[in-house]
Amino acid sequence: MKTLLSGNEAIARGAYEYGCVFATAYPGTPSTEILENIAKYKEIKSQWAPNEKVAVEVAIGAAMAGARSLCAMKHVGVNVAADPLMSFTFMEVKGGFVLVSADDPGMHSSQNEQDNRNYAKFAKMPVLDPCDSDEAKQFVGEAFNISETFHTPVMVRTTTRTSHGKGLVKLGEPIERKVSGFEKNFEKMVVLPMNARKLRVYAEERLRKLETFAENTNLNFEEPGEGRVGFITSGIAHVHLKEVLPTAPILKIGMPYPLPINKIRDFVSRFDRVIVVEELDPFIEEQILAAGISVEGKNLIPGIWELNPEIIRDVLEKENIISKKERHESQKSDAIPRPPVFCPGCPHLGIFHALKKAKAKIITGDIGCYTLAAIPPFNAMDTCVCMGASIGNAIGIEKATGSGKGIAAVIGDSTFTHSGLNGLVDAIMNNSHITIVISDNSITAMTGGQPDPRTGWDLHHRENKQMDFEIVARAMGAEHVFSVDPTDIAPTFEVVKRELEADHLSVIISQAPCVLYPKKVKRPKFFTFLDNCTACTMCSRINCQAISRSDELTDKGRNKWQINVDLCTGCGLCIQMCKFDAIRPVSGREE
Amino acid sequence: MGNTNILLVGVGGQGILLASEVMSEVFRRAGFDVKKSEVHGMAQRGGIVSSHVRFGEKVYSPMIEEGDADIMLSFELMEALRWEHYLKPDAFLATSNVRMVPPICNSGKIVYPDNTAEKLEEIRPEARILDIESTLREVGNSKVTNVIMLGVLSTILKIPEDSWLDVVKEAVPAKLVDVNLKAFTAGRAFMTKN
């Protein structure tokens, strides 16, 4: 039977069918649903990690214990995990180890664009690049087999469209799950220099074996076609090309590293010209060119952003490889912009309102929903680099300029436990005087509501210990630690203003639950009693998307403001702003 | 026969993903190859959402090319205008008349034009601008635009009504089946009334 699965669901299914024993991940678009779906298979032990480095370390442990283990993350997550990964690839692994890296070409929900196939070459491990959901599932099995045959970690690399796109997948029966147990092996598992030097040579020998494997595996296969132009494809680029030119002769590369150079040389020799069609970097192309084989690629196909059939069609038409398709060339209409915004009643609204009102001089930011504060209407975040960077950035600005007064670092709860804790250590070690604001909604919200150390339960909704940030901060040495409820405007403002002006390190924990996760909050809603509205605009300063201009005008001809009751989540921020009794609970509306 | 390309557009929180899930499953059960794709942006609520669904004998890419969509279902009026250029000249376009004014308009510098519907009709005289606003009130649930749209779609594709109903019933929570069936019927009525 074939069933409709996303690439991420298919990878989870692959883990189930191909004997995966243990899986872990840190959430990150577009990878998040892999572990969420693995969690549905009770046969696999699965858990969230606080960050990608820990995820890889835990998964390595499981592989060391002789279990097939999988660990998933978004592309930038591999940067965090690079330290254990780069040493682990020199070791001799017992259990199969699969690292899933979900890249985000076009940066739909990411801070940068990077092609993580490069990591495979850098770390000297094979990488598989599926083109659709069906391959995504199969490649997990192939990856485990390669991992165990060659004693190497294997990367499975997806991109946003393979991860989130859905397609038909043929399901199979699961194989047996085995754990052979941990066996001590000083030479293979302790990378002291005396061992690491031998392992360094071993890693090279392993690569030579993998090169031979690449020539024979059916991961790389030829699709015969028509014409004098041949194509070499990998990943999602393959299906885009097939869409445009179904009869193209293609050498499809399922394993972009190491490459089957002989197979490629033979393929290229049979065509007038060969074009490598790959998304992002010229990863395959450069390896082929380095082998002295002449191909084209990035001279035609763009090396940035997401590929799509249209881009490939334009190239093939321009190169006279296909005839021009009649296309409807209509003008893009001038629709008004709809930038991403905070949810109605989001607790981040309250803390950013306070920071703005308190006139914070510099606000360093981090990765999460709250990064939306950087754009209009808030314009209340001045930097954003990567997970956990806000605290370090603020300290650096303080040290360079000579004062920490008025400098706030804003970080979410999941980001704080991901890598913000280390920033706080730095602040204490170096006697920093910045204000750290942990905007704690007790969930990893931007990726769709995954539990973190503040949530109180784990991936399987089993209760666990809720980390207490106040105790943590104090135990680390912070003396001025305050908790505020950001939906309570006046006291929040008072604390924020006082601490921004104080010449010492402060940690403000701004705690209120996310309005969506783990479940939508249900609170009494509010409506605008328009008769009382004076169009003073105070309520609009909360920047809640449920509040907008109404068509009703004041005597002076100004638009009154209204609450969209369907959107309102009853946070009560706006009622605290209104001085004219124009915002009232819906429950009292009938009277 | 070529593939059919369906584009669903709207605003985050309107249930677009559920609608694309349901139709993809209907197409699968009808024996077609199906691919679908969408992007999860930064905002959980209130941002632009689009979903591509393609079905037919053999579908390769999950993405619809600009100017190549056969059908567009728009859950919000402005979004129909935003994505209109994705349609073939003779495509079917149905849009909700619901206007969701983005907060960026609060500054007063950007205005959601009153004549958006007229503008759309100018470009696409065949566009069906459906009074979903009233239908939502009649049905008594503000969150069922997606199933109304599935009802609309079911009248223009040659797949039996029951196949749609089966999947809709499976896809929505048990206590919401009745209201969703009402929404589906209301969607069909838009197309069969005149």
Side-chain angles (χ1 to χ4, degrees), chain A residues 525-550:
Chain A
K525 297 172 177 233
F526 297 93
F527 78 105
T528 322
F529 183 62
L530 283 175
D531 289 357
N532 278 15
C533 179
T534 63
C536 73
T537 74
M538 286 304 285
C539 62
S540 78
R541 295 185 194 181
I542 292 298
N543 294 319
C544 176
Q545 63 164 300
I547 297 175
S548 62
R549 281 166 201 274
S550 78

mmCIF file of all heavy atoms in Angstrom, chain A residues 525-550:
data_model
loop_
_atom_site.group_PDB
_atom_site.id
_atom_site.type_symbol
_atom_site.label_atom_id
_atom_site.label_comp_id
_atom_site.label_asym_id
_atom_site.label_seq_id
_atom_site.Cartn_x
_atom_site.Cartn_y
_atom_site.Cartn_z
ATOM 1 N N LYS A 525 -12.743 36.954 26.563
ATOM 2 C CA LYS A 525 -12.267 37.891 25.539
ATOM 3 C C LYS A 525 -12.756 39.313 25.812
ATOM 4 O O LYS A 525 -13.632 39.525 26.633
ATOM 5 C CB LYS A 525 -12.776 37.433 24.173
ATOM 6 C CG LYS A 525 -12.242 36.080 23.752
ATOM 7 C CD LYS A 525 -12.943 35.603 22.496
ATOM 8 C CE LYS A 525 -12.354 34.286 22.036
ATOM 9 N NZ LYS A 525 -11.946 34.328 20.644
ATOM 10 N N PHE A 526 -12.207 40.235 25.046
ATOM 11 C CA PHE A 526 -12.597 41.632 25.185
ATOM 12 C C PHE A 526 -13.158 42.184 23.879
ATOM 13 O O PHE A 526 -12.853 41.672 22.808
ATOM 14 C CB PHE A 526 -11.396 42.473 25.632
ATOM 15 C CG PHE A 526 -10.877 42.083 26.988
ATOM 16 C CD1 PHE A 526 -9.840 41.161 27.108
ATOM 17 C CD2 PHE A 526 -11.447 42.598 28.133
ATOM 18 C CE1 PHE A 526 -9.382 40.771 28.364
ATOM 19 C CE2 PHE A 526 -10.989 42.220 29.390
ATOM 20 C CZ PHE A 526 -9.965 41.306 29.500
ATOM 21 N N PHE A 527 -13.994 43.216 24.004
ATOM 22 C CA PHE A 527 -14.473 43.902 22.800
ATOM 23 C C PHE A 527 -14.362 45.403 23.013
ATOM 24 O O PHE A 527 -14.152 45.867 24.146
ATOM 25 C CB PHE A 527 -15.910 43.483 22.472
ATOM 26 C CG PHE A 527 -16.952 44.160 23.320
ATOM 27 C CD1 PHE A 527 -17.741 45.189 22.794
ATOM 28 C CD2 PHE A 527 -17.165 43.766 24.632
ATOM 29 C CE1 PHE A 527 -18.701 45.815 23.576
ATOM 30 C CE2 PHE A 527 -18.124 44.394 25.414
ATOM 31 C CZ PHE A 527 -18.898 45.409 24.896
ATOM 32 N N THR A 528 -14.472 46.163 21.936
ATOM 33 C CA THR A 528 -14.388 47.621 22.072
ATOM 34 C C THR A 528 -15.794 48.200 22.124
ATOM 35 O O THR A 528 -16.612 47.958 21.224
ATOM 36 C CB THR A 528 -13.637 48.237 20.879
ATOM 37 O OG1 THR A 528 -12.568 47.380 20.525
ATOM 38 C CG2 THR A 528 -13.092 49.601 21.229
ATOM 39 N N PHE A 529 -16.055 48.975 23.175
ATOM 40 C CA PHE A 529 -17.307 49.695 23.305
ATOM 41 C C PHE A 529 -17.080 51.027 22.587
ATOM 42 O O PHE A 529 -16.550 51.994 23.143
ATOM 43 C CB PHE A 529 -17.631 49.878 24.796
ATOM 44 C CG PHE A 529 -18.936 50.551 25.052
ATOM 45 C CD1 PHE A 529 -20.129 49.962 24.634
ATOM 46 C CD2 PHE A 529 -18.978 51.774 25.715
ATOM 47 C CE1 PHE A 529 -21.336 50.596 24.883
ATOM 48 C CE2 PHE A 529 -20.189 52.400 25.952
ATOM 49 C CZ PHE A 529 -21.372 51.814 25.531
ATOM 50 N N LEU A 530 -17.439 51.036 21.297
ATOM 51 C CA LEU A 530 -17.009 52.123 20.402
ATOM 52 C C LEU A 530 -17.512 53.501 20.843
ATOM 53 O O LEU A 530 -16.859 54.504 20.594
ATOM 54 C CB LEU A 530 -17.430 51.824 18.964
ATOM 55 C CG LEU A 530 -16.556 50.775 18.239
ATOM 56 C CD1 LEU A 530 -17.128 50.452 16.869
ATOM 57 C CD2 LEU A 530 -15.115 51.241 18.112
ATOM 58 N N ASP A 531 -18.670 53.531 21.545
ATOM 59 C CA ASP A 531 -19.200 54.825 22.006
ATOM 60 C C ASP A 531 -18.172 55.571 22.859
ATOM 61 O O ASP A 531 -18.089 56.791 22.845
ATOM 62 C CB ASP A 531 -20.471 54.616 22.851
ATOM 63 C CG ASP A 531 -21.645 54.178 21.975
ATOM 64 O OD1 ASP A 531 -21.449 54.114 20.738
ATOM 65 O OD2 ASP A 531 -22.723 53.898 22.521
ATOM 66 N N ASN A 532 -17.373 54.795 23.615
ATOM 67 C CA ASN A 532 -16.408 55.426 24.523
ATOM 68 C C ASN A 532 -15.048 55.680 23.893
ATOM 69 O O ASN A 532 -14.214 56.362 24.457
ATOM 70 C CB ASN A 532 -16.207 54.539 25.759
ATOM 71 C CG ASN A 532 -17.296 54.740 26.784
ATOM 72 O OD1 ASN A 532 -18.339 55.316 26.459
ATOM 73 N ND2 ASN A 532 -17.085 54.265 27.994
ATOM 74 N N CYS A 533 -14.794 55.065 22.747
ATOM 75 C CA CYS A 533 -13.461 55.179 22.131
ATOM 76 C C CYS A 533 -13.238 56.607 21.639
ATOM 77 O O CYS A 533 -14.063 57.176 20.932
ATOM 78 C CB CYS A 533 -13.312 54.200 20.981
ATOM 79 S SG CYS A 533 -11.705 54.318 20.159
ATOM 80 N N THR A 534 -12.069 57.166 22.018
ATOM 81 C CA THR A 534 -11.741 58.543 21.610
ATOM 82 C C THR A 534 -10.683 58.554 20.516
ATOM 83 O O THR A 534 -10.157 59.606 20.175
ATOM 84 C CB THR A 534 -11.204 59.338 22.812
ATOM 85 O OG1 THR A 534 -9.992 58.710 23.240
ATOM 86 C CG2 THR A 534 -12.203 59.373 23.954
ATOM 87 N N ALA A 535 -10.337 57.357 20.018
ATOM 88 C CA ALA A 535 -9.285 57.224 18.994
ATOM 89 C C ALA A 535 -7.938 57.731 19.504
ATOM 90 O O ALA A 535 -7.148 58.293 18.762
ATOM 91 C CB ALA A 535 -9.685 57.938 17.698
ATOM 92 N N CYS A 536 -7.684 57.523 20.802
ATOM 93 C CA CYS A 536 -6.425 58.009 21.376
ATOM 94 C C CYS A 536 -5.226 57.146 20.935
ATOM 95 O O CYS A 536 -4.091 57.543 21.152
ATOM 96 C CB CYS A 536 -6.511 58.036 22.909
ATOM 97 S SG CYS A 536 -6.468 56.409 23.680
ATOM 98 N N THR A 537 -5.480 55.966 20.382
ATOM 99 C CA THR A 537 -4.484 55.014 19.844
ATOM 100 C C THR A 537 -3.665 54.273 20.898
ATOM 101 O O THR A 537 -2.764 53.522 20.556
ATOM 102 C CB THR A 537 -3.466 55.653 18.858
ATOM 103 O OG1 THR A 537 -2.536 56.452 19.608
ATOM 104 C CG2 THR A 537 -4.150 56.508 17.797
ATOM 105 N N MET A 538 -3.962 54.490 22.192
ATOM 106 C CA MET A 538 -3.154 53.824 23.217
ATOM 107 C C MET A 538 -3.199 52.300 23.084
ATOM 108 O O MET A 538 -2.178 51.630 23.197
ATOM 109 C CB MET A 538 -3.617 54.248 24.617
ATOM 110 C CG MET A 538 -3.206 55.658 25.016
ATOM 111 S SD MET A 538 -1.423 55.928 24.913
ATOM 112 C CE MET A 538 -0.877 55.046 26.374
ATOM 113 N N CYS A 539 -4.377 51.736 22.836
ATOM 114 C CA CYS A 539 -4.490 50.272 22.758
ATOM 115 C C CYS A 539 -3.672 49.717 21.597
ATOM 116 O O CYS A 539 -3.130 48.614 21.663
ATOM 117 C CB CYS A 539 -5.952 49.827 22.663
ATOM 118 S SG CYS A 539 -6.798 50.421 21.183
ATOM 119 N N SER A 540 -3.563 50.524 20.525
ATOM 120 C CA SER A 540 -2.843 50.034 19.348
ATOM 121 C C SER A 540 -1.351 49.899 19.625
ATOM 122 O O SER A 540 -0.640 49.205 18.898
ATOM 123 C CB SER A 540 -3.072 50.968 18.157
ATOM 124 O OG SER A 540 -2.271 52.124 18.290
ATOM 125 N N ARG A 541 -0.868 50.565 20.680
ATOM 126 C CA ARG A 541 0.577 50.519 20.971
ATOM 127 C C ARG A 541 1.029 49.172 21.509
ATOM 128 O O ARG A 541 2.227 48.913 21.626
ATOM 129 C CB ARG A 541 0.955 51.631 21.954
ATOM 130 C CG ARG A 541 0.735 52.974 21.301
ATOM 131 C CD ARG A 541 1.187 54.111 22.150
ATOM 132 N NE ARG A 541 0.630 55.340 21.575
ATOM 133 C CZ ARG A 541 0.831 56.539 22.051
ATOM 134 N NH1 ARG A 541 1.578 56.680 23.125
ATOM 135 N NH2 ARG A 541 0.298 57.584 21.479
ATOM 136 N N ILE A 542 0.083 48.328 21.854
ATOM 137 C CA ILE A 542 0.410 46.964 22.255
ATOM 138 C C ILE A 542 0.865 46.163 21.029
ATOM 139 O O ILE A 542 1.549 45.160 21.126
ATOM 140 C CB ILE A 542 -0.839 46.304 22.892
ATOM 141 C CG1 ILE A 542 -1.158 46.971 24.230
ATOM 142 C CG2 ILE A 542 -0.695 44.815 23.066
ATOM 143 C CD1 ILE A 542 -0.060 46.838 25.257
ATOM 144 N N ASN A 543 0.464 46.632 19.847
ATOM 145 C CA ASN A 543 0.779 45.953 18.583
ATOM 146 C C ASN A 543 0.192 44.545 18.514
ATOM 147 O O ASN A 543 0.834 43.609 18.024
ATOM 148 C CB ASN A 543 2.290 45.907 18.349
ATOM 149 C CG ASN A 543 2.873 47.289 18.145
ATOM 150 O OD1 ASN A 543 2.267 48.123 17.471
ATOM 151 N ND2 ASN A 543 4.017 47.555 18.730
ATOM 152 N N CYS A 544 -1.025 44.411 19.014
ATOM 153 C CA CYS A 544 -1.719 43.121 18.949
ATOM 154 C C CYS A 544 -2.444 43.044 17.615
ATOM 155 O O CYS A 544 -3.103 44.002 17.212
ATOM 156 C CB CYS A 544 -2.715 43.016 20.100
ATOM 157 S SG CYS A 544 -3.708 41.515 20.029
ATOM 158 N N GLN A 545 -2.336 41.903 16.924
ATOM 159 C CA GLN A 545 -2.959 41.814 15.601
ATOM 160 C C GLN A 545 -4.488 41.744 15.669
ATOM 161 O O GLN A 545 -5.164 41.857 14.649
ATOM 162 C CB GLN A 545 -2.391 40.666 14.765
ATOM 163 C CG GLN A 545 -2.624 39.280 15.318
ATOM 164 C CD GLN A 545 -2.372 38.209 14.255
ATOM 165 O OE1 GLN A 545 -3.014 38.192 13.227
ATOM 166 N NE2 GLN A 545 -1.421 37.313 14.503
ATOM 167 N N ALA A 546 -5.049 41.592 16.886
ATOM 168 C CA ALA A 546 -6.511 41.597 17.000
ATOM 169 C C ALA A 546 -7.063 43.019 17.022
ATOM 170 O O ALA A 546 -8.266 43.221 16.923
ATOM 171 C CB ALA A 546 -6.931 40.852 18.260
ATOM 172 N N ILE A 547 -6.175 44.014 17.164
ATOM 173 C CA ILE A 547 -6.625 45.411 17.249
ATOM 174 C C ILE A 547 -6.348 46.140 15.939
ATOM 175 O O ILE A 547 -5.225 46.114 15.432
ATOM 176 C CB ILE A 547 -5.921 46.128 18.415
ATOM 177 C CG1 ILE A 547 -6.312 45.468 19.742
ATOM 178 C CG2 ILE A 547 -6.277 47.620 18.437
ATOM 179 C CD1 ILE A 547 -5.601 46.013 20.951
ATOM 180 N N SER A 548 -7.402 46.751 15.372
ATOM 181 C CA SER A 548 -7.212 47.478 14.114
ATOM 182 C C SER A 548 -8.147 48.690 14.076
ATOM 183 O O SER A 548 -9.044 48.831 14.913
ATOM 184 C CB SER A 548 -7.506 46.557 12.930
ATOM 185 O OG SER A 548 -8.850 46.138 12.977
ATOM 186 N N ARG A 549 -7.951 49.548 13.081
ATOM 187 C CA ARG A 549 -8.821 50.705 12.907
ATOM 188 C C ARG A 549 -10.216 50.234 12.523
ATOM 189 O O ARG A 549 -10.355 49.343 11.677
ATOM 190 C CB ARG A 549 -8.311 51.568 11.753
ATOM 191 C CG ARG A 549 -7.164 52.435 12.090
ATOM 192 C CD ARG A 549 -6.540 52.959 10.791
ATOM 193 N NE ARG A 549 -5.175 53.381 11.063
ATOM 194 C CZ ARG A 549 -4.867 54.592 11.508
ATOM 195 N NH1 ARG A 549 -5.787 55.501 11.664
ATOM 196 N NH2 ARG A 549 -3.618 54.914 11.779
ATOM 197 N N SER A 550 -11.239 50.868 13.077
ATOM 198 C CA SER A 550 -12.601 50.542 12.657
ATOM 199 C C SER A 550 -13.046 51.591 11.633
ATOM 200 O O SER A 550 -12.346 52.569 11.388
ATOM 201 C CB SER A 550 -13.537 50.542 13.857
ATOM 202 O OG SER A 550 -13.857 51.879 14.199
#
